Amino acid sequence: TCETKAAKKIVEKFNVEQCRKLMHEEEFKVDCKAYNEIVAIFKKEEKKEQSTNNENKNDTQITLDIKTVKELRWQVINFLNILESILVAWQYNVADREIIIQEMSYLVSPKDGKNVLEQFRVAAGSEEAFPAIEIFCDYMENERKKKLKEKAKII
């Protein structure tokens, strides 16, 4: 859904502590921009104004209430559970591996700083919580390294 996609984009920008608090359904602070993006996902009315002073734009911290934290967590867990199901099929060769790689490789992109909600997955227990996603990420990283080594072997 649109909400899930938007939630994923926001949580990808969270630090380890924010992801840990999200995972454990605890209140935590986000900057004004993230807060407004989260509010927009859940179509709430209460947007917060950022400071007009350029120095303080990123300093404005707003606490997410428990209800919002739970809604955001549900969207992210839902996304990861669906992805885990798809990647289990990839892992056990139940689905066409090449198609899955083609369609899901955008989720693991070092140049874009993407690794499928890595900080959140770490907070959730990584390979224990989402083992197929971990295996897929490792596979994609190894493939990237293999291609680099092949380029280095030019004679």
Side-chain angles (χ1 to χ4, degrees), residues 95-131:
D96 186 306
R97 289 178 63 89
E98 289 307 310
I99 290 173
I100 300 291
I101 290 168
Q102 222 171 17
E103 294 300 317
M104 300 297 168
S105 63
Y106 77 95
L107 294 168
V108 183
S109 175
K111 71 178 181 184
D112 297 327
K114 291 183 182 177
N115 192 345
V116 196
L117 294 158
E118 181 177 29
Q119 302 286 14
F120 185 81
R121 287 185 295 111
V122 167
S126 290
E127 63 272 355
E128 292 172 13
F130 303 104

Side-chain angles (χ1 to χ4, degrees), residues 10-11 14-15 17-31 34-35 38 61-66 68-70 72-73 120:
I10 292 166
V11 174
F14 284 179
N15 63 36
E17 184 62 17
Q18 288 169 317
C19 287
R20 189 190 67 72
K21 288 185 178 276
L22 179 62
M23 180 61 202
H24 297 291
E25 296 181 347
E26 300 171 4
E27 289 184 348
F28 62 96
K29 294 181 185 258
V30 295
D31 64 34
Y35 180 82
I38 292 164
Q61 295 286 301
I62 301 161
T63 302
L64 294 178
D65 61 65
I66 292 297
T68 304
V69 168
K70 286 182 178 189
L72 185 60
R73 181 184 180 277
F120 185 81

Side-chain angles (χ1 to χ4, degrees), residues 47-82:
K47 288 199 172 190
K48 303 284 183 181
E49 293 298 316
Q50 275 188 312
S51 171
T52 53
N53 180 350
N54 285 340
E55 293 177 43
N56 294 329
K57 276 189 178 178
N58 292 327
D59 294 342
T60 306
Q61 295 286 301
I62 301 161
T63 302
L64 294 178
D65 61 65
I66 292 297
K67 183 177 184 235
T68 304
V69 168
K70 286 182 178 189
E71 289 172 343
L72 185 60
R73 181 184 180 277
W74 186 88
Q75 292 292 337
V76 172
I77 293 282
N78 187 45
F79 169 79
L80 288 171
N81 284 339
I82 291 168

